[in-house]
Amino acid sequence: MSYQSGGYKPVETGVNGSSNMMEPETPTWKKWTYGLSAVAVVGMIAAGIGMTTKEGLAVEPEPETGIKKLFDEHNRYVLEDYDAKPTFASFLPGVAGLYGKPVWSFYVNRGQGIASFGAKSKDYPILEFNAANKAYQLTPYIGFRTFIQASRGRTSFDVEPFNPANSRSLDEDAEDQDELPKRIMYVGPNEFEVKEIDSEHGLETSAKYIVLPEEDFAALVRRTTLNNTGDSDLTISVLDGLSKLEPVGGKLDWGLKNMGRTLEGWFGVYHVDDTLNMPFYRMSTETSDEARVKIEKAGHYVISLLEDDEKQPQLLPIIYDTNAVFGQDTSLLEPKVLQTKTISDVVEGAQYGDAKTSSAFSAVQDVVLAPGESITIATFYGKADEIGDVASIAEKVSAPGYVSSKFDRARTLMDSLTAGVETNSTNNLFNGAIKQMYLDNSLRGGMPTIIGDVDEDAKMSNFDEDPRVKVFHTFSRIHGDLERDYNAFMIDDTYFSQGPGNYRDVAQNRREDVTLNPRVGAFNIKMFLSYIQADAYEPLTVEAVVYMFTDPNVIAAIAYTVTEDEQSGKVLEDVLKGGPFRPGQLFTLVEQLNIKLKVDRDNFLNQVVAQAENIPMAVFGQGYWADHWEYYLDLIESYLAIYPDGEEALMYDNELRYFFSTATVKARSEKYVETYTYDGKSKHILQLDATVFDTEKENEQEAFRSENTGIIGIDAYWQRTVAGEAFKSTPIAKLFLLGAIKFATRDAWGMGVEYEGGRPGWNDAMNGLPGMVGSGMPETYEMYLVLKYVKSVVDKYGRSIVIPSELGAMLDTVSGALDVLEQSGYTDPEKLPFDVPEVLFNYWDIVASARENYRNNVQYYFSGNTTELSAEDVSGMIDRWLTQVELGMKRAEKFGSHGWEDDGTSGVPPSYFSYNITEWTENEGKNKVGLPLVNARAMSVGRFPLFLEGPVRYMKTINGDKDALKSLYQDVLASGLRDEALKMYKVSANLKGQSYDMGRMMAFAPGWLENESIWMHMSYKYYLELIRGGLYEEFFREMKEGGILPFMNPDVYGRSLMECSSFLASSAFPDPKTRGRGFSARLSGSTAEFLSMWKLMFIGKEPFFLDGGDLKMKLVPALPNWLFKDEGLDPQYDEDENLIVSFKLFASIIVTYHNPSGSDLFDEAPKSYKVTMDDGSVESVDGSEIPSDLAKKIRKIYGVKSIDAYF
């Protein structure tokens, strides 16, 4: 029998230990013991961070630089003694390729890593989902385990690799740690591995995991390799697998946690044949007391084999009875049965799988390993629709070389998906981080895939140029990982897999879609502007677009073009008539209904979607967050950097619908509630229950429910006119509506935009701020930019805009109120009082009433009547508004912030205000719990400590003023927002003394979550504004000092330097050992900011521009000299010995910067270009600008192979 590990080999450790145990004269009975180990030598190649190492670690700092190398030859992050270090949680991407079906999986740095995995969502686990705090405790016991019975000569021993009883201690006072096993974790973009080196027993054990790529069935694949590193033969028997495995039986998560024992009554283990090789874990029926009983046919399968790349291996028996391994040790601490029985005895013994949670251990019996020889157990854990499918899956996965090829493909798949940001600088760590950031950004916002390419014309067009071209985002999901256990993630287990995401997450993380793939065009802009409702709010959840047909003749033509026979054509025709669909759903139906295609999958999908209508999808969710609209300008700016010639057509020549949610924002008279203060000594007014579920709106949507399918139709989610037609406006008109309503939502002092929709803005831990009648300056700064943009567009093109007549009526009232305000002669005193002046209060009251009346008028329908505003009218109106907004911004600066050791003179713009209603009258209304409702008569403003969001958003308004930006940078640096010990920026200053009314952030310890922590996303937004504003020295200093990954200290950060966290515990946190550690891994908006930084560094702010109407291109990077040449790293040179850095433009064109002087390239354009075409021809360009014809080819990615830019 041959034992081969296949083509996917771990990093060699160089350990070839031998057993020094004395052989007893007669064998003694075995007691379960745990292996000991010496230190491994691990090869690592990618340099990055200076750090210290504990004596005895294998990898010493390089003598000259003190830099420790942190990555192996596969660019996997290496964490030594992982299970002895502070805990962290992360996940495999859940990406199986476009034509693959994924599983989700989470891992921790405890035990053998995998803490939970399953299909679709946490409701469908194979290994139960547990929050991080429980996963850290449970994973070594209920997760993957390996039990080995071994003998070397006359000495026998039992060992469990990775058992926590033998974890090393990294405390300085710990002794004899080198005698314990050495454990190492390797984290790659699409894989991870744990390894234990037990030199005492001459045994090395590794377990590697991937999500099975590009198959029509889903599986987590585990590869356990056992290597004899001793100098004599080793005989082993092994049980390797899961201690607990859940069956299929509907949604299980709630039941497992709330009625787990009762639930086990439905559990059972079935078998494909009369062997133990293919168990099938399912419930008899789904749990329900309803009259209709659903019999469960689907189940989880476990298929295991000893890998062999040359011949078909035999399947291994599976031990599924937990008692057959652990006996009555329900703690699962030790395999009690193996203390008295051999593994062969267990395999031959009786097993029972009914009415209890089962296990899944692969059994290997009596294998002899010569020195240096190894075996690899490959096991597949997945779900099959019925037991009859398992045998065919087993036949496929057991083919010689199959496992090796899939592990290789998992790696190359990720390389191909992240090739769009391939970067080659002298710093490999930085290069790798860019690809990881792009991957994680795509997991949150989706990875755009172009479909509909039915001919060459389509392939040469973008989304805007050819209606057949469609954009579909794959691989996305909402975060709902072990540390963010509050979210309910969902990942379709279909081809073209994806799941819904939070509005702000998706909007931000798609910012650079068009930068990386110009064929996306204005897709995201049109989609997100469509979501703007009549009341200028947006839904909470964004779903993937759907496709739909309305013309039955088109359906018939397509159906019979792509199918093999008449029956298949008829079935496909019915499918396409059935309503909206996504690619994954379509392929699932093709499979289930046995539709026979005569074209390949790509061709089939392209032909279908090319003729279908593209429809955005969203769900209201809960509340109206105040910041959802703040990311539109980012999308527009990114688009204009690629398509400056597309602005007019985009803004004026498209018509977009208005999303229709089932919630309505209440008028002030219905949400200003009189209640007692926290101490119960007095009364005050809170803004409570600001939105209401509107049953009339629900009834409107119910009218679209299909009698055939029971599903509410697509049209129900778009606001109509009284005549029943969807009301539409141009993008510029919707932006104007948005800006106008936000202008009319300013607070009584005219400073912040009110949080009147029941939710705060980006900083949603300020959940109490809406109750405090709060407002936000971040929204004001963004509203200011939106208004300026709308004005610039109407001034530039001189075209009128058409708005709903209801909005026109509101604007008439606003204009009248402004007239009265201006005629009053009111001017601000030098020192502003906290009480709102009567004239300002009256203006606020009139405008707020106008806004509420408008909202009332469009609550269910638009009238369908419109008002046309000339460009001059729009421009003049906005000019008038901007004057008021600027006045409010100055007032905010005067009021400033107020907090612990903060007297408001820091010079840093404030973020939030609250309003105390000081006079009110009851209006005879009651809220839902019977408290009186009131009308406000007077109010005073309240202040808060500093928050980072304020200056970050404000910086966007002074982007062209470098002196002002530098001054603000210094002010922030000297403020309470700076964490000098970590050299980072906190999300807030010290909140000591603040009211709990603010929101949940006050419930947390200082330095934790949103209370004065390092919130990485907002920090990255701050850094982005530095480089966007041209503060290059400041930006790169912050980066290299550890403010930006991958340049943080890995010992402090505590996880892979490739992966962002939501937050780091700041220096305000009480426990010094926790400070600087990252928590809540990945799926962060930080990745969107990082990609924008990368764009500005390598491409420039506006690579395409118009010169007298002609499109031209100019690359203006912002690259520091240390990316060309840095101490201790290997620089790259061209044939003339000039330093070079390269990257991929549009995921296709290799751009190389030639830097003969090796100096910083800050805002410096090339002196010349050499553009090489696919056919080998070369076009040379003198000067910094690439002319129009060539610029268009580059943007089209038409025949262009590479660009060399010479400085």
Side-chain angles (χ1 to χ4, degrees):
M1 182 175 187
S2 62
Y3 307 101
Q4 301 183 23
S5 60
Y8 180 90
K9 299 180 186 296
V11 179
E12 297 300 329
T13 64
V15 172
N16 190 23
S18 61
S19 173
N20 296 318
M21 293 187 294
M22 297 293 295
E23 295 185 5
E25 292 183 4
T26 57
T28 58
W29 189 244
K30 298 171 283 188
K31 181 179 180 181
W32 201 262
T33 60
Y34 303 101
L36 306 176
S37 167
V39 176
V41 180
V42 182
M44 308 178 193
I45 63 169
I49 300 300
M51 57 181 286
T52 59
T53 59
K54 183 177 172 66
E55 184 178 357
L57 286 182
V59 182
E60 299 295 334
E62 296 184 2
E64 293 183 1
T65 65
I67 290 176
K68 183 181 177 184
K69 296 184 177 181
L70 302 167
F71 290 81
D72 73 1
E73 63 192 29
H74 301 299
N75 283 328
R76 299 183 301 176
Y77 182 75
V78 180
L79 187 67
E80 297 188 60
D81 301 313
Y82 68 88
D83 60 336
K85 291 183 175 177
T87 54
F88 71 85
S90 191
F91 53 88
L92 291 174
V95 173
L98 292 178
Y99 294 105
K101 298 180 179 181
V103 296
W104 52 265
S105 56
F106 299 105
Y107 63 84
V108 297
N109 61 326
R110 291 295 183 266
Q112 297 195 36
I114 290 289
S116 179
F117 67 101
K120 290 186 179 178
S121 72
K122 66 177 73 172
D123 283 324
Y124 303 95
I126 297 176
L127 175 59
E128 182 184 356
F129 180 95
N130 284 295
N133 60 322
K134 294 181 179 178
Y136 299 142
Q137 297 173 333
L138 296 174
T139 298
Y141 305 107
I142 69 171
F144 285 101
R145 310 277 291 272
T146 305
F147 303 118
I148 302 172
Q149 294 179 335
S151 62
R152 196 184 293 275
R154 299 177 61 192
T155 302
S156 60
F157 61 92
D158 293 352
V159 63
E160 181 189 359
F162 307 103
N163 190 289
N166 271 351
S167 295
R168 292 186 173 192
S169 171
L170 300 184
D171 292 342
E172 293 182 359
D173 298 332
E175 298 180 355
D176 302 323
Q177 296 303 298
D178 290 349
E179 298 178 4
L180 293 171
K182 181 69 175 178
R183 292 173 182 167
I184 308 168
M185 177 178 280
Y186 305 87
V187 178
N190 199 28
E191 62 183 281
F192 90 96
E193 174 183 359
V194 292
K195 180 180 291 184
E196 176 179 291
I197 301 136
D198 177 359
S199 60
E200 182 68 21
H201 293 107
L203 182 64
E204 177 183 290
T205 307
S206 69
K208 298 182 284 291
Y209 305 90
I210 62 166
V211 172
L212 181 67
E214 298 176 336
E215 283 290 1
D216 59 0
F217 54 92
L220 179 76
V221 190
R222 169 180 160 94
R223 236 179 170 189
T224 306
T225 299
L226 304 165
N227 183 27
N228 178 10
T229 58
D231 57 8
S232 60
D233 287 355
L234 179 68
T235 301
I236 59 172
S237 294
V238 185
L239 289 183
D240 181 76
L242 275 176
S243 297
K244 290 183 68 175
L245 189 149
E246 307 300 341
V248 172
K251 294 183 176 182
L252 292 186
D253 189 62
W254 184 92
L256 290 171
K257 291 173 173 57
N258 293 279
M259 47 175 279
R261 180 59 189 130
T262 302
L263 202 65
E264 286 183 319
W266 280 264
F267 289 10
V269 180
Y270 305 84
H271 298 275
V272 174
D273 54 25
D274 58 1
T275 71
L276 298 174
N277 299 344
M278 290 179 283
F280 198 63
Y281 301 74
R282 67 170 175 83
M283 296 167 65
S284 52
T285 67
E286 289 193 5
T287 57
S288 172
D289 285 335
E290 297 176 1
R292 185 175 183 176
V293 177
K294 181 179 179 181
I295 297 174
E296 187 59 73
K297 292 185 177 181
H300 291 141
Y301 64 81
V302 179
I303 298 168
S304 190
L305 52 94
L306 284 179
E307 274 193 59
D308 194 320
D309 283 350
E310 296 180 358
K311 61 182 182 181
Q312 186 98 7
Q314 296 296 312
L315 300 185
L316 297 174
I318 304 298
I319 306 303
Y320 58 87
D321 187 343
T322 306
N323 297 99
V325 179
F326 295 97
Q328 298 307 311
D329 183 4
T330 54
S331 70
L332 307 184
L333 286 176
E334 296 182 350
K336 294 290 188 180
V337 173
L338 297 185
Q339 295 178 6
T340 59
K341 291 184 179 181
T342 67
I343 288 174
S344 294
D345 293 336
V346 173
V347 173
E348 295 299 324
Q351 295 190 60
Y352 305 96
D354 296 313
K356 62 182 178 182
T357 303
S358 296
S359 300
F361 288 102
S362 314
V364 177
Q365 304 169 67
D366 299 323
V367 173
V368 179
L369 298 177
E373 199 169 30
S374 66
I375 58 168
T376 296
I377 306 167
T379 311
F380 295 75
Y381 303 85
K383 177 186 174 184
D385 290 334
E386 55 185 46
I387 197 168
D389 296 337
V390 178
S392 60
I393 294 174
E395 182 178 2
K396 189 165 194 175
V397 303
S398 61
Y402 179 88
V403 178
S404 297
S405 67
K406 287 300 180 182
F407 270 77
D408 288 338
R409 180 54 184 153
R411 192 173 280 164
T412 59
L413 171 65
M414 207 50 57
D415 287 340
S416 64
L417 291 177
T418 59
V421 291
E422 183 178 312
T423 304
N424 292 288
S425 73
T426 190
N427 193 303
N428 289 329
L429 186 59
F430 178 75
N431 302 339
I434 295 166
K435 297 182 77 172
Q436 183 70 49
M437 296 291 177
Y438 175 64
L439 170 63
D440 288 351
N441 185 78
S442 299
L443 295 182
R444 193 165 105 137
M447 188 173 289
T449 301
I450 306 298
I451 50 181
D453 284 346
V454 292
D455 55 32
E456 288 303 311
D457 286 342
K459 292 176 183 178
M460 291 302 299
S461 302
N462 66 27
F463 175 79
D464 310 301
E465 295 166 336
D466 190 329
R468 297 174 299 173
V469 175
K470 305 295 192 299
V471 180
F472 188 80
H473 284 79
T474 55
F475 312 139
S476 59
R477 84 290 304 271
I478 189 175
H479 48 54
D481 51 89
L482 304 183
E483 292 182 278
R484 301 181 186 93
D485 42 23
Y486 49 87
N487 267 333
F489 68 88
M490 199 281 287
I491 308 172
D492 276 347
D493 54 349
T494 64
Y495 293 164
F496 287 77
S497 173
Q498 48 70 46
N502 281 338
Y503 196 93
R504 76 159 65 98
D505 298 353
V506 179
Q508 290 177 98
N509 286 57
R510 292 188 185 180
R511 181 191 305 154
E512 302 298 349
D513 275 6
V514 69
T515 304
L516 301 172
N517 188 344
R519 295 192 66 199
V520 170
F523 169 82
N524 287 311
I525 298 170
K526 294 174 183 178
M527 184 182 79
F528 280 102
L529 294 189
S530 293
Y531 292 138
I532 298 174
Q533 300 173 175
D535 58 7
Y537 286 106
E538 296 89 356
L540 172 62
T541 302
V542 175
E543 298 186 343
V545 297
V546 296
Y547 303 105
M548 193 166 73
F549 290 93
T550 55
D551 187 340
N553 294 322
V554 172
I555 292 174
I558 293 172
Y560 292 99
T561 299
V562 299
T563 54
E564 276 190 0
D565 53 62
E566 184 176 349
Q567 177 61 24
S568 293
K570 180 66 173 66
V571 175
L572 179 58
E573 188 176 355
D574 291 340
V575 167
L576 298 180
K577 287 179 179 177
F581 62 89
R582 296 187 177 104
Q585 296 168 318
L586 181 61
F587 281 113
T588 298
L589 289 171
V590 166
E591 178 185 351
Q592 292 176 344
L593 300 175
N594 196 28
I595 298 173
K596 297 177 181 178
L597 303 177
K598 64 181 179 183
V599 296
D600 62 34
R601 293 178 299 194
D602 283 345
N603 196 342
F604 165 66
L605 181 62
N606 286 333
Q607 290 202 47
V608 170
V609 300
Q611 302 300 322
E613 182 183 357
N614 175 90
I615 302 174
M617 290 292 291
V619 177
F620 160 66
Q622 52 181 324
Y624 287 127
W625 270 262
D627 68 313
H628 282 179
W629 55 276
E630 295 174 16
Y631 312 106
Y632 301 153
L633 275 189
D634 289 338
L635 292 170
I636 292 169
E637 288 172 359
S638 291
Y639 170 81
L640 294 178
I642 305 299
Y643 293 103
D645 49 341
E647 182 177 51
E648 183 178 7
L650 168 62
M651 288 296 151
Y652 288 98
D653 300 341
N654 291 278
E655 288 195 327
L656 306 175
R657 291 178 288 190
Y658 288 77
F659 194 76
F660 186 66
S661 289
T662 52
T664 295
V665 179
K666 294 179 181 177
R668 291 163 298 157
S669 61
E670 298 173 353
K671 60 188 176 184
Y672 282 4
V673 180
E674 183 184 69
T675 183
Y676 281 98
T677 56
Y678 182 74
D679 59 11
K681 295 180 179 180
S682 60
K683 292 184 177 181
H684 65 162
I685 306 304
L686 294 180
Q687 180 176 239
L688 301 177
D689 303 317
T691 59
V692 61
F693 179 78
D694 196 323
T695 55
E696 290 299 317
K697 287 185 174 181
E698 182 185 37
N699 291 338
E700 284 293 316
Q701 292 187 340
E702 279 294 326
F704 289 88
R705 189 177 295 278
S706 168
E707 294 182 0
N708 295 326
T709 65
I711 298 173
I712 293 178
I714 294 294
D715 289 339
Y717 298 98
W718 303 101
Q719 186 141 351
R720 294 171 291 153
T721 68
V722 291
E725 298 176 349
F727 186 81
K728 297 179 181 180
S729 296
T730 61
I732 192 63
K734 293 203 76 172
L735 286 172
F736 176 75
L737 176 145
L738 175 70
I741 293 178
K742 298 307 175 186
F743 174 77
T745 315
R746 292 179 306 139
D747 62 29
W749 261 111
M751 298 186 296
V753 173
E754 291 185 307
Y755 296 134
E756 53 114 32
R759 299 288 182 173
W762 175 89
N763 192 349
D764 51 20
M766 296 282 285
N767 53 291
L769 190 52
M772 301 172 77
V773 195
S775 64
M777 292 306 298
E779 286 66 40
T780 293
Y781 301 138
E782 295 289 348
M783 176 255 291
Y784 180 71
L785 295 170
V786 167
L787 291 175
K788 290 186 73 173
Y789 176 72
V790 173
K791 174 177 165 54
S792 72
V793 170
V794 296
D795 287 347
K796 186 186 304 183
Y797 302 110
R799 294 173 63 174
S800 62
I801 65 172
V802 177
I803 60 172
S805 61
E806 295 88 343
L807 180 65
M810 186 196 87
L811 295 181
D812 288 342
T813 305
V814 172
S815 295
L818 271 176
D819 291 339
V820 173
L821 178 61
E822 291 169 354
Q823 292 164 9
S824 72
Y826 171 82
T827 58
D828 288 336
E830 183 62 29
K831 184 176 181 181
L832 298 177
F834 292 106
D835 290 333
V836 178
E838 183 178 2
V839 65
L840 294 183
F841 180 88
N842 290 338
Y843 168 81
W844 167 82
D845 192 32
I846 292 170
V847 170
S849 296
R851 182 183 73 243
E852 291 165 353
N853 289 335
Y854 162 78
R855 202 152 51 205
N856 227 22
N857 292 334
V858 297
Q859 186 170 351
Y860 304 112
Y861 303 100
F862 285 107
S863 66
N865 300 322
T866 59
T867 299
E868 185 171 357
L869 300 176
S870 69
E872 293 78 9
D873 288 342
V874 172
S875 185
M877 199 179 300
I878 293 178
D879 269 334
R880 199 177 185 194
W881 297 348
L882 290 174
T883 299
Q884 292 298 316
V885 174
E886 289 166 355
L887 183 58
M889 290 161 61
K890 290 177 182 177
R891 289 172 183 154
E893 291 178 26
K894 285 188 175 183
F895 278 119
S897 57
H898 183 74
W900 185 256
E901 297 182 344
D902 176 10
D903 61 2
T905 61
S906 66
V908 178
S911 296
Y912 315 116
F913 294 102
S914 65
Y915 281 85
N916 179 31
I917 296 175
T918 55
E919 297 179 21
W920 65 87
T921 57
E922 294 187 7
N923 61 27
E924 300 183 355
K926 303 287 184 182
N927 78 343
K928 62 183 180 182
V929 295
L931 293 174
L933 297 171
V934 305
N935 297 326
R937 298 301 179 212
M939 54 178 60
S940 63
V941 69
R943 299 175 296 172
F944 292 95
L946 286 174
F947 288 80
L948 188 57
E949 186 182 10
V952 165
R953 305 281 190 185
Y954 177 74
M955 291 169 81
K956 298 171 75 171
T957 71
I958 57 171
N959 182 263
D961 189 340
K962 189 174 289 188
D963 290 338
L965 284 169
K966 282 192 174 185
S967 176
L968 179 55
Y969 172 76
Q970 292 299 326
D971 288 339
V972 173
L973 193 65
S975 75
L977 295 172
R978 175 71 170 180
D979 188 325
E980 189 56 39
L982 294 177
K983 296 193 179 301
M984 299 178 187
Y985 296 90
K986 297 180 289 186
V987 72
S988 74
N990 193 326
L991 300 182
K992 184 176 180 180
Q994 296 301 305
S995 168
Y996 278 87
D997 286 342
M998 284 171 57
R1000 68 172 184 265
M1001 64 170 50
M1002 291 304 299
F1004 306 134
W1008 189 257
L1009 286 169
E1010 292 97 335
N1011 185 345
E1012 205 183 345
S1013 73
I1014 311 295
W1015 205 264
M1016 191 174 280
H1017 186 190
M1018 190 50 68
S1019 295
Y1020 273 35
K1021 280 184 176 291
Y1022 180 66
Y1023 299 134
L1024 175 60
E1025 293 310 316
L1026 295 181
I1027 188 172
R1028 186 180 273 167
L1031 302 190
Y1032 302 119
E1033 292 182 3
E1034 292 83 352
F1035 171 78
F1036 288 111
R1037 181 170 61 245
E1038 296 283 358
M1039 177 182 278
K1040 285 299 288 284
E1041 286 183 352
I1044 302 175
L1045 290 172
F1047 299 101
M1048 294 180 184
N1049 186 323
D1051 279 348
V1052 177
Y1053 188 54
R1055 61 172 73 238
S1056 171
L1057 295 176
M1058 301 289 196
E1059 299 175 356
C1060 284
S1061 300
S1062 274
F1063 76 96
L1064 285 69
S1066 74
S1067 297
F1069 193 70
D1071 183 358
K1073 292 183 179 179
T1074 302
R1075 297 170 187 166
R1077 280 178 57 197
F1079 295 90
S1080 299
R1082 307 166 66 181
L1083 299 186
S1084 162
S1086 310
T1087 57
E1089 315 308 329
F1090 190 96
L1091 287 180
S1092 292
M1093 296 177 209
W1094 176 83
K1095 177 181 90 169
L1096 294 173
M1097 289 172 64
F1098 285 86
I1099 301 173
K1101 187 176 182 180
E1102 297 174 344
F1104 294 91
F1105 62 98
L1106 294 177
D1107 182 8
D1110 291 331
L1111 181 74
K1112 291 186 177 180
M1113 180 183 182
K1114 179 163 63 174
L1115 295 169
V1116 185
L1119 295 173
N1121 57 19
W1122 50 262
L1123 282 179
F1124 289 90
K1125 186 176 183 179
D1126 203 7
E1127 185 178 3
L1129 304 178
D1130 296 327
Q1132 302 173 78
Y1133 296 94
D1134 62 16
E1135 62 277 7
D1136 297 322
E1137 297 301 312
N1138 296 317
L1139 290 164
I1140 58 172
V1141 161
S1142 64
F1143 70 98
K1144 269 190 180 176
L1145 179 67
F1146 306 150
S1148 177
I1149 302 170
I1150 299 172
V1151 177
T1152 303
Y1153 291 135
H1154 301 256
N1155 184 5
S1157 66
S1159 59
D1160 295 330
L1161 298 181
F1162 293 162
D1163 268 348
E1164 184 177 344
K1167 294 181 175 65
S1168 63
Y1169 301 90
K1170 182 178 73 175
V1171 181
T1172 303
M1173 311 304 287
D1174 287 338
D1175 61 8
S1177 62
V1178 174
E1179 296 198 32
S1180 297
V1181 178
D1182 290 328
S1184 62
E1185 299 176 359
I1186 296 175
S1188 183
D1189 288 345
L1190 190 53
K1192 290 177 181 177
K1193 289 180 180 179
I1194 292 170
R1195 191 171 66 177
K1196 288 279 189 183
I1197 323 173
Y1198 181 67
V1200 181
K1201 182 179 181 181
S1202 64
I1203 302 172
D1204 288 89
Y1206 299 90
F1207 291 84

